[in-house]
Amino acid sequence: MIQSTFPLTAEEKGKQPDFIDPDFYKGRESKLPPPVQKIYESDFTVLTRKRKSGRAYSKVIMTRKQLSHILYYSYHLFQEQRSHLPVPSACNSRPLRLYVCILNVLDLEKGIYRYHPKNHSLFLVKRFTDAQEELKAIFLGQSFVLQASCLIGLGANLEAAGYRYPSEAEKFVLLEAGHVGQQIQLAAESLNMASCPIARYEQRLIDDFFESQATPMTYVFSIGSRGSLD
Ligand SMILES: Cc1cc2nc3c(=O)[nH]c(=O)nc-3n(C[C@H](O)[C@H](O)[C@H](O)COP(=O)(O)O)c2cc1C
């Protein structure tokens, strides 16, 4: 039995919510550039061996292209014969919603954004000038988070996850978060950037900060240019 801290879904079998719900994507939209063409490492076997969690970030600013690359190869909705994501999804329920906290990215204001997987764009939720104190409290003093260029948060739409099998909703979202997380780490590594998975945080505070109460945060990744200690 999985014991998690986010709210349980309803037990009634329901209708599958839209993956791209226009009500979820409001506010100013910023299109992301195409992903990086000349990547640092593209050999799958090398990437797999190199993947590790990096908590030391330099002050080198992240570019929008680098952010684009990581989001594209983690959760972009590819429009081919049939639309598909880089990750599998139980009952094709696609329950994850990606949030991005921008801390040090060129030409993007500091703030919270929602990633639109089809448009490959960011929707501004709110701006901030300094979030250091909030981040320290949210991440229970894990101070490396403050040096990251951005945080990618995976919010869970439990209604979507459990639309067919409600009692499986929690298990499904947690497993799917793992799939996306691996993509994030490999995509970051392919750019020689450091990333760290984070699951220790205060649930109420993080959902207030990201405004993700309706899709509670399940997993967060800090990303930045590799620091000297890494
Ligand atoms: C589910 C999960 C939660 C994690 N949460 C945190 C965290 O809150 N803070 C942190 O610094 N690292 C966290 N990590 C990273 C682990 O500490 C790291 O993966 C482990 O030490 C192995 O190191 P490696 O990823 O470099 O191979 C987490 C990893 C996983 C899989």
Side-chain angles (χ1 to χ4, degrees):
M1 173 71 181
I2 293 172
Q3 297 284 331
S4 72
T5 49
F6 53 77
L8 271 170
T9 185
E11 278 307 305
E12 289 300 311
K13 182 171 157 177
K15 182 181 161 285
Q16 181 172 16
D18 290 337
F19 177 46
I20 309 281
D21 176 358
D23 287 340
F24 188 73
Y25 299 101
K26 292 206 162 137
R28 200 182 67 205
E29 182 178 16
S30 307
K31 284 269 185 195
L32 287 165
V36 174
Q37 291 287 314
K38 277 187 100 178
I39 62 175
Y40 178 83
E41 181 57 72
S42 59
D43 184 321
F44 173 73
T45 60
V46 177
L47 277 180
T48 305
R49 289 177 76 115
K50 282 185 69 185
R51 186 225 58 86
K52 59 183 162 61
S53 301
R55 300 174 186 79
Y57 308 113
S58 77
K59 291 201 173 0
V60 175
I61 196 163
M62 187 180 196
T63 65
R64 288 167 71 238
K65 223 168 163 58
Q66 287 171 321
L67 176 64
S68 156
H69 182 88
I70 294 168
L71 289 167
Y72 192 85
Y73 289 109
S74 304
Y75 216 58
H76 172 62
L77 189 66
F78 297 112
Q79 305 290 326
E80 281 152 20
Q81 279 163 332
R82 171 172 90 82
S83 72
H84 70 104
L85 291 167
V87 291
S89 178
C91 310
N92 206 22
S93 59
R94 299 171 171 172
L96 295 173
R97 303 291 177 264
L98 267 57
Y99 293 81
V100 186
C101 170
I102 298 293
L103 298 170
N104 184 26
V105 179
L106 194 63
D107 295 331
L108 267 177
E109 285 176 284
K110 283 186 186 179
I112 301 294
Y113 297 76
R114 290 177 177 179
Y115 175 63
H116 191 299
K118 191 170 176 189
N119 295 1
H120 192 49
S121 61
L122 294 174
F123 280 77
L124 179 67
V125 175
K126 67 174 183 194
R127 294 188 193 90
F128 54 74
T129 45
D130 179 19
Q132 300 240 334
E133 291 309 315
E134 275 159 301
L135 292 173
K136 269 190 229 163
I138 290 168
F139 292 102
L140 307 162
Q142 301 189 75
S143 54
F144 66 90
V145 171
L146 308 178
Q147 313 307 325
S149 290
C150 73
L151 309 175
I152 298 181
L154 313 184
N157 183 331
L158 291 161
E159 206 188 324
Y163 86 92
R164 189 175 287 173
Y165 307 110
S167 62
E168 306 283 5
E170 288 204 328
K171 184 171 74 181
F172 288 169
V173 289
L174 297 177
L175 292 169
E176 293 187 31
H179 283 287
V180 177
Q182 183 76 3
Q183 293 297 121
I184 291 174
Q185 286 213 288
L186 292 177
E189 193 63 61
S190 75
L191 301 176
N192 196 28
M193 297 185 82
S195 67
C196 186
I198 309 172
R200 278 205 66 239
Y201 47 73
E202 216 282 301
Q203 189 69 49
R204 192 183 54 77
L205 292 184
I206 202 167
D207 288 326
D208 286 349
F209 182 66
F210 279 86
E211 297 191 13
S212 57
Q213 294 91 345
T215 56
M217 207 58 86
T218 63
Y219 212 3
V220 179
F221 288 78
S222 56
I223 303 166
S225 297
R226 201 148 253 151
S228 53
L229 296 174
D230 205 27

